[in-house]
Amino acid sequence: MRLAGTRRRTTACAVVLVALLGGSAACDGGKDGANDGGGKDGRDGGAAGSGARAGAALAAVDTLTVKGRAPRTGFDRARFGSPWADTDSNGCGTRDDILRRDLESVKFRDGRCVVTAGKLAPDPYTGKDVTFTRGRSRVDIDHVVALSDAWQKGAQRWDAGKRIALANDPLNLLAVDAGPNRGKGDGDTATWLPPNKGFRCAYVARQVAVKKKYGLWVTGAERDAMRRVLTRCPDEKLPGGGSPTAAPDRFRAR
């Protein structure tokens, strides 16, 4: 791996210089041209010796287990519990919790739970404002790590309680424009990214965080795609998650 190799080169260089000069010295770890992931913006992905530091999201990619995708056999949405269960016992379903968290100018049917209107400003997947009206909504609640993808990468081995937790975890949920969400299907980072390029770093960091939290594996192609995205934003942090009222990662132009 590139980071490990760079550390070895840097350490060896430092040892030699200290021995020769009797003092401390810093060496440029250099670039591994085939793997620097720098892209057109000239960054080299935060590798040691480049002057940039790998952020928590980029570093976390290499902590994920890499395996092949298992068959989709046996997958059913019902395996992840009733949709939008009130898992935090606050009296509101998860869908309404996320709408309340992510929308602006929220209106309620009952004053606290059932969201009837609001605005997604902006939608993270397109960067455009989307109006929410209950019953004819253009807003979906997306599982950032799709449940079918999770099923094929470890969740089929879980007990029901863990699957229900994943399906209702605010860390794994975002209110988004229905169009791109339905085009995403069960895609992972290797097969689908938000059209809004300014949100891709935050989106991939959130996928990494969810997979790390739940012990889901990634394919080799998925891991490589995660690295490619995150090397362009090497200081991107892993998002936290848990409280339905905690603000999500929002659109950030890069």
Side-chain angles (χ1 to χ4, degrees):
M1 291 171 53
R2 184 188 172 211
L3 289 178
T6 304
R7 289 194 194 99
R8 286 194 294 270
R9 289 194 298 272
T10 303
T11 302
C13 181
V15 169
V16 170
L17 285 178
V18 168
L20 292 175
L21 303 177
S24 62
C27 298
D28 186 347
K31 288 189 176 182
D32 180 353
N35 298 312
D36 72 352
K40 294 180 181 179
D41 62 2
R43 298 179 188 173
D44 81 345
S50 69
R53 181 177 58 83
L58 179 57
V61 173
D62 290 330
T63 70
L64 301 176
T65 299
V66 179
K67 294 174 65 174
R69 182 187 290 270
R72 196 172 182 269
T73 306
F75 172 75
D76 189 289
R77 175 61 178 83
R79 301 270 189 166
F80 292 81
S82 300
W84 314 129
D86 179 16
T87 54
D88 62 357
S89 301
N90 70 348
C92 305
T94 301
R95 183 172 187 270
D96 283 303
D97 282 338
I98 300 303
L99 289 171
R100 184 174 67 234
R101 183 195 70 180
D102 290 1
L103 300 182
E104 297 180 358
S105 304
V106 175
K107 295 181 181 179
F108 298 94
R109 176 184 299 162
D110 58 357
R112 62 178 294 269
C113 272
V114 181
V115 177
T116 59
K119 180 180 286 188
L120 193 57
D123 161 47
Y125 286 0
T126 65
K128 300 176 181 178
D129 291 355
V130 181
T131 299
F132 170 81
T133 304
R134 199 175 195 96
R136 54 181 190 277
S137 175
R138 293 166 48 210
V139 175
D140 282 351
I141 306 301
D142 181 34
H143 288 96
V144 177
V145 172
L147 300 184
S148 176
D149 181 62
W151 179 262
Q152 296 173 78
K153 295 171 182 173
Q156 59 185 274
R157 302 176 180 177
W158 298 351
D159 61 32
K162 187 173 181 179
R163 288 197 290 265
I164 291 170
L166 172 71
N168 293 277
D169 190 336
L171 178 64
N172 194 34
L173 299 171
L174 287 176
V176 299
D177 187 299
N181 179 51
R182 294 171 193 182
K184 168 186 171 179
D186 63 358
D188 59 25
T189 301
T191 59
W192 189 90
L193 289 169
N196 176 15
K197 293 181 180 180
F199 189 70
R200 287 180 178 178
C201 287
Y203 173 80
V204 173
R206 188 168 285 266
Q207 283 206 337
V208 174
V210 172
K211 295 208 164 186
K212 183 176 177 65
K213 178 176 179 179
Y214 285 90
L216 293 164
W217 70 73
V218 295
T219 66
E222 182 181 4
R223 177 203 57 200
D224 293 346
M226 287 173 164
R227 285 174 176 166
R228 281 195 299 271
V229 172
L230 292 172
T231 52
R232 297 175 182 273
C233 43
D235 293 323
E236 188 74 37
K237 301 300 182 185
L238 283 181
S243 171
T245 58
D249 296 319
R250 304 300 295 157
F251 168 79
R252 286 175 290 161
R254 292 188 183 279

